[in-house]
Amino acid sequence: MTPPCMWSFINHAFPLWIIYEATSRTKVAVMAGLVALCLLLMLTGVLGFDIGLSKGNSLNHQQITESAILDVTLHVCRTVALTEGKDFTSPPQPFTSESVAAACGAKSSKSFQEVISVIQQTNRQVDISHFFDASYHCDDEQLAEGRKIITDGLSAVKASNKLNNYKAAREQLGTLLHTLQDFYSHSNWVEIGYELPNSNLIRPSTSIGNIAAVNRATCHNCNGNDCKNNILEDILREKILTSGYFFVYRSSSKPTGKCSHGGDLDLTSTIEPKGGINKDKVDSSHGYLHWKAANIAIAATSELLEDVRQAAGDKQFLQMMGISKGKALCFVIDTTGSMGDDIDAVKTVTSTIINNKVGTEDEPSVYILVPFNDPDFGPVKTTTDPNAFKRAINLLTASGGGDFPEMSLSGLQLALTGAPPGSEIFLFTDATAKDENLKSTVIALIEQTKSVVNFMITNLLVSRRRRQSDNDQQQQQQFRMTKSGSQLYTDLAKASGGQAIVVTKSELLSATSIITESSSSSQVTLLQAARSTGTAENFIFIVDESVRNLTVYITGTLVTFTLISPSGVPQGSAEVTGPLIITSQSVGNFQTLRLNTQVGLWQINMMSTNPYNLKVVGQSPVDFLFNFLEVSKAPLGGFDVVDNRPRAGVNGSLMVTVTGSESAIVTEVTLVESSGSGKVNGSVEAQGGREFLVHFDRIPSAEFVVLVKGQISNTSSVLFQRQSSTSIRASTVTITATNANSVLVPGTPLSVPFTLTTDGAGGTFSIQATNDQGFTSTVPSSLPLETGGSANGTVNITAPTSTTSGTVVTLTIQAVAPGATDTNYVVLRFTVLKTVTDFTAPVCQLLSLQSNCSDNCSSSMWEISVEVTDGAEGTGIDRISLGQGNGTMNTSLTAGNGNITQVTYNASCCSPDVELVVVDQVGNVGSCFYTVRKITSTQTTPVNVTTPTAPVNVTTTINKPQAAVSMATKPAQFFLLCFSISLLASFFHFK
C-alpha cells in the first residue's frame, strides 16, 4: 500500500493528468526524484530495511542478502496472489522467513529458510575461496572484472533456472551477490553521492562509469584517524570510480597515489596515501557511510533478484526460493518387464495424490520422475504441472529386462541430484542393484541433501524366479542373492531415515499410503531408531501442542510393541483398536499406526527377535535446520560450514536454526547413535534470533542422528522434540575442494583440484569421482598419505559440446581409507553454459490501439496490437507474460519471420494498464507498459493509433483526448527500493 505521505507528495506536486501526459524526460526526472525521496526516507528510518538490529551495529553480507530475499519474495507472492484474484496480507515488519512464508501460503518455512541459508553460505564462501582475488571483492580498482563475475554468474543462474536446476542457481546466486554487495562497500560509489544502485553492474556490454586510470591518484593521507575526506576532490567532482587496494603480505604495495582498502589486515593502508575507504563496518575507515552503503547494497541485491525473477517467471522464482506448499513428489521407477503391476499401482497413487492434494495446502511443490532398467536410466522429468506429471506416469510401460539386477542406484543418483534438498524419494523395484558400486556415492548424496529414500520392493524372489530354471540349487542361490540385494536397499533406507518396505505386488497399493502422508511439507520427525538385532527396548518421545496427525511407522517382521500415553494409558500391538490407536494398517513388513494425539511424554516398548526400524512423525510448522561447523582457516576467522562429514573423535560445533517459530528456545541438543543407545550431549549457546550454537566435547565415530529439544514459547507447558531423519557419519578423513569456476564450458575440460588429509593412520587411499550426467572425467585412482598427512589431486571433467546450456552436473569425489575402514566425500555442482553473446533485451513496437472507453468502464473495452522482437542478432523470444493486467493476451509468430512475435491484448476499460514482460532465450528481460485513460467524458469515439517506429525505451504520447499510451523498460530497482510505492509504479517506467 502506498504510504499516505507519498500520495500527499505526489498529489501536491504533480496533478495526475500531467503525469500521464508527461514527456519521457520528465517522467524519468519525476521517477528519479520519487525514488531518491523513498531511499532518503528509508535511510532515515521511516521506511528503512529494519532487520532487527540497532543502528549501533553493522550489517554483513548474510543480513543484507536475507533482507533483500525477504522483500523481493514477499513482493512476488503479492503479485501472484493479486494476479490469481486472491487477497494478500503483508506481515508486519521486520519481515522474517516465517512471516514471509506464511504470507505466501507455505505450510512450512523450513525449505525457504534453508534456501536463504544456502545463498548466505555461498556468499560467505567467497571470503574463503577467493579471499585474495581482488576481482571478487571489487578491490584494486578491478571494478570491470567484478562486473564480469556478476554478469557471468547471472547468466548461469538464469540458464539453471530455465531447466529447473534450482540448487545450482542458488549457489551461483550467493557467489555473485558477494561481489555485487562489495562494490558499494569497497568503491567510492557512495562517496560520489549516488543514492541508487549502479544498474549497469548487472547488464553486460554497458558502462558502469569512468574507472580511474592506473596512473591517476585517487586519495591523500587521512587526517590522523579521520578518513572522511581522504578521496581527492577532483575524483569525486568528475565522478571517477575507484576502489581501495588490499594486500596482506609484507611485500605489499600499491600504485602511487591510490586509495587503500583499510583495516588491520590491509598492509597497504600504512603506505602513503595512508588510511582506507572501505565501509564494511561502522568502525571501518569510511564507517560513517556504512549504513548508506549497506542499504544501497540491499537495493542492488533486490534489483538483481527482480531481474532473476522476471527471467524465470514468478512461480519458478518462488520454486528457486523454496516457497511451496507441499514437498516434492519424486518417483524412481523400474520399468523392466515384470514391473507392470507396480507401474499400475504408481499410476493409481499418483492420480489419488493429484486429485486429493492439488489446490490444497499440501499440494506437491514439484513432480519428479526417473525411470530405470538395464542398461538405461533417466532422463529426469521435472514439472510443476500435475497433469503433465500424470501423463508422464501414464506413458510408462514395463518392457525389456533379462539380467536379474537393474540400474536402480543410477536412477536414484539422478533423483538425489535433481530433487530439492530434504525431499522424500520413493523407489519402486523388484530387482537388486546392478550398479552397487554407486552405494557410497548415493550415501554421500543422501547425507549432503538430507533426503529421505523409501524403497518399495515387490516379490524380489518370486517375480524373478521364472528367469531361472526350477533347479533347487539355483533357487537357493537366487534366494541368497535376493537377501543380499535387499540388504543394500535396507542400508540406504536406514541411512536416509526412510523405509525398505517389502510386499507382494498385490499389496503394493496398500503400502503406498506412506506416500500420501509424507508429501506434506510440515511433516516432522519426533523419533527414529534402527536396530539390526532384535532386542527389547523402551523408547520415549515428546509430543508438543503444535503436533498434528501423530503417526508411527514400524518396518520389520514379528515385531510387537506396547504404547503408553502421557496419561499412563497402555495399548499393546495385539489390540487393533483402542484408546491410543485411531487406525492401524499392516502390509508386508510395514505397519502404520495413527495415534490419538496427546500432548506430553509418550513411551513405546519394542520387542522383536528380528531387525526393525521405528519412526514417529507428525505435522507441525516447528522444525530445525543444522550444520556442523569448523574453525575457519580464512584470514577473517570465524566458523565455516562443514558440507561433508565432520571429524570423528574430536570436539566439534553445530549450528541449529529453528524454523516455524520466532520464539522457540533450544535447551538441549544430543547426538544419538542411530543403532544404539550411545549419545553425546552438547552445550547450547543462544546466538540471537532463531540460531543456537552447540559445542560437543566429542563427535561420535558411530552413525548418529541429531536430537533437539526446547520450548516453543515461554507459555509452553511441554517441551518440543525434533530429530533429524538422515544418519550422519563422522570421519578421520577430510576431503576439500571448491568449484572456483562453477561454470563448465561445453567441450572445454575443467580442472577441479582437491586436497585429502587424514587424522588417522596413513597408507594408500582409493579415490573415486562420479557425476550424474555421465560426463567424461579423470581422477587419480589412489593417493598415498602419511599418518596425519595430506595430499593433493585433480579431477578433470568435460561436458560434451552438444550439452544444453543450464544443464547442471553434480560431481562427487570420494576418498576411501585403506581397508575401507573410513571414507569421506565432497559434492560440487557445475552449470554448463555456452558463451553468451546476446546481451540486448527484447523490444516492443506498438502497431495499433483501439479504445471506446467511457464513463461506464464495465461496458467498454480497449485493445492493443504489439510486435515483439529480439533483434537480428538476438537469440529469439522465449516467453511473453503479463506483469500487470487481467485482460486476455494472445501471441503468434509473424509469418515469414520466426524471430518476431505479434501480441494482442484486450481488456475492460476498468483495467486500463498492462505490462508485457518479454524474455529471450538467454534471460534478457524487456518490459513494455501501456495504459489507456479517459480524460474527456464527452467523446467516446474509438481511437486507432499506429506508431510503427516506437521503440521499447521511448514514451509515445497519443495526442487524442481519450487515450494515452506509454512504452518503457521497467525499472526493477524502483519496485525493490520501496515496495510501498509499487502502485505508483504502474504509471512510471523508464530505462
Side-chain angles (χ1 to χ4, degrees), residues 804-819:
T804 303
S805 273
T807 300
V808 171
V809 56
T810 302
L811 174 67
T812 305
I813 310 172
Q814 300 167 84
V816 181

Side-chain angles (χ1 to χ4, degrees), residues 275-343:
I277 65 170
N278 87 82
K279 296 160 282 293
D280 290 340
K281 298 181 293 184
V282 293
D283 58 354
S284 296
S285 302
H286 279 200
Y288 71 101
L289 292 172
H290 166 77
W291 279 93
K292 186 172 184 179
N295 276 288
I296 298 179
I298 292 173
T301 303
S302 298
E303 179 184 30
L304 185 142
L305 291 173
E306 173 72 7
D307 186 62
V308 171
R309 168 250 182 139
Q310 291 214 354
D314 288 347
K315 293 187 177 180
Q316 289 76 11
F317 178 85
L318 294 178
Q319 284 280 333
M320 183 188 74
M321 286 299 165
I323 292 289
S324 59
K325 294 180 178 179
K327 289 184 179 179
L329 184 62
C330 184
F331 290 159
V332 184
I333 303 177
D334 184 346
T335 58
T336 45
S338 60
M339 286 290 292
D341 295 339
D342 306 62
I343 293 174

Side-chain angles (χ1 to χ4, degrees), residues 851-862 907-911:
S851 168
N852 64 351
C853 292
S854 64
D855 287 335
N856 185 6
C857 66
S858 61
S859 63
S860 52
M861 301 287 292
W862 68 290
S908 162
C909 291
C910 297
S911 178

Side-chain angles (χ1 to χ4, degrees), residues 46-62:
V46 178
L47 296 174
F49 293 95
D50 183 3
I51 57 174
L53 295 176
S54 69
K55 292 298 182 180
N57 294 319
S58 303
L59 294 184
N60 58 30
H61 283 283
Q62 287 71 37

